[in-house]
Amino acid sequence: GNSVTQMEGPVTLSEEAFLTINCTYTATGYPSLFWYVQYPGEGLQLLLKATKADDKGSNKGFEATYRKETTSFHLEKGSVQVSDSAVYFCALNTDKLIFGTGTRLQVFP
Amino acid sequence: EAQVTQNPRYLITVTGKKLTVTCSQNMNHEYMSWYRQDPGLGLRQIYYSMNVEVTDKGDVPEGYKVSRKEKRNFPLILESPSPNQTSLYFCASRTTFGRNYGYTFGSGTRLTVV
């Protein structure tokens, strides 16, 4: 069946460090891929998406590229801020949305 | 403002006492869904609805009921809550046409069953 695997957290970084959160997927067909972010005490917000192979989604300095050959959709940011501290979920959508287990990011000044 | 509204935000109840968590969206979305979020398990789908009067089970439907009498509302019903239903619940919606569109989520309902 379809599934999403994310790296375990927490990921702890200093402000301005480079961020990578790994995400790989297993799916039949051609899923759309998403990153959602959950700030403390809030619901999930769509961060970025990619709908086909080689698409790059970007938003708020975050980027992720849909890599069909490696079935990956890794999230990256060149310089993180304290305000980026949150839980990040990778997800795929075919006929329904399937989430990874989430990765907590903690950024310290 | 386009949004999904859940109520209540926090709820503590006792085992066996029926409860309903409401969900309403103002975007005229056809598709609505309920998820529960548990540590280490991510979000798992409980039930979903493709449109009015059309509902179906997700991955973890046991102990839950839903109804979709109107397009905007999709309540989650726990007829006899148990402690293993203590969790953080999210309602979400999207337009049916185009799986490339992201979902809009509510702010969540934290339920504790004692």
Side-chain angles (χ1 to χ4, degrees):
Chain A
N2 298 338
S3 65
V4 176
T5 302
Q6 282 182 246
M7 62 188 289
E8 296 236 356
V11 173
T12 304
L13 295 173
S14 297
E15 209 164 23
E16 299 183 1
F18 184 87
L19 168 71
T20 301
I21 299 178
N22 290 337
C23 170
T24 57
Y25 68 91
T26 302
T28 53
Y30 302 94
S32 297
L33 300 174
F34 301 87
W35 277 99
Y36 284 85
V37 58
Q38 184 180 30
Y39 297 104
E42 298 184 14
L44 278 76
Q45 301 174 25
L46 178 63
L47 180 61
L48 54 83
K49 68 177 182 181
T51 59
K52 61 183 187 300
D54 300 324
D55 265 4
K56 177 185 281 188
S58 61
N59 185 26
K60 300 182 180 180
F62 291 90
E63 293 184 338
T65 301
Y66 190 141
R67 302 279 188 205
K68 194 166 174 60
E69 64 276 12
T70 55
T71 61
S72 65
F73 193 54
H74 305 321
L75 182 68
E76 296 181 336
K77 187 173 185 182
S79 176
V80 294
Q81 305 299 312
V82 172
S83 57
D84 293 326
S85 298
V87 180
Y88 292 82
F89 291 91
C90 185
L92 68 83
N93 192 24
T94 53
D95 57 347
K96 69 176 185 180
L97 196 60
I98 296 173
F99 288 90
T101 53
T103 303
R104 182 175 299 279
L105 170 65
Q106 297 174 322
V107 181
F108 293 97
Chain B
E1 180 188 353
Q3 60 186 358
V4 175
T5 303
Q6 289 179 233
N7 280 296
R9 288 293 306 275
Y10 301 92
L11 179 59
I12 301 174
T13 190
V14 296
T15 299
K17 186 177 180 181
K18 181 180 178 180
L19 66 91
T20 299
V21 183
T22 63
C23 173
S24 181
Q25 51 93 4
N26 62 0
M27 297 163 281
N28 202 36
H29 284 169
E30 293 84 9
Y31 184 101
M32 298 185 74
S33 181
W34 277 102
Y35 291 85
R36 61 177 288 174
Q37 182 181 4
D38 301 290
L41 297 176
L43 282 85
R44 294 177 293 167
Q45 190 179 52
I46 302 170
Y47 267 94
Y48 65 96
S49 169
M50 298 289 284
N51 214 324
V52 176
E53 301 292 3
V54 181
T55 64
D56 211 343
K57 296 177 181 179
D59 299 313
V60 288
E62 293 78 20
Y64 304 94
K65 284 176 55 178
V66 292
S67 69
R68 189 88 182 274
K69 294 184 172 60
E70 307 163 281
K71 198 172 188 180
R72 63 183 292 124
N73 295 324
F74 190 45
L76 180 69
I77 303 156
L78 284 73
E79 293 271 2
S80 182
S82 62
N84 65 12
Q85 292 178 299
T86 292
S87 187
L88 179 57
Y89 292 85
F90 288 102
C91 181
S93 74
R94 70 166 171 86
T95 179
T96 300
F97 303 104
R99 58 181 175 78
N100 298 334
Y101 293 95
Y103 290 52
T104 301
F105 282 82
S107 298
T109 296
R110 185 168 292 282
L111 171 66
T112 303
V113 183
V114 298

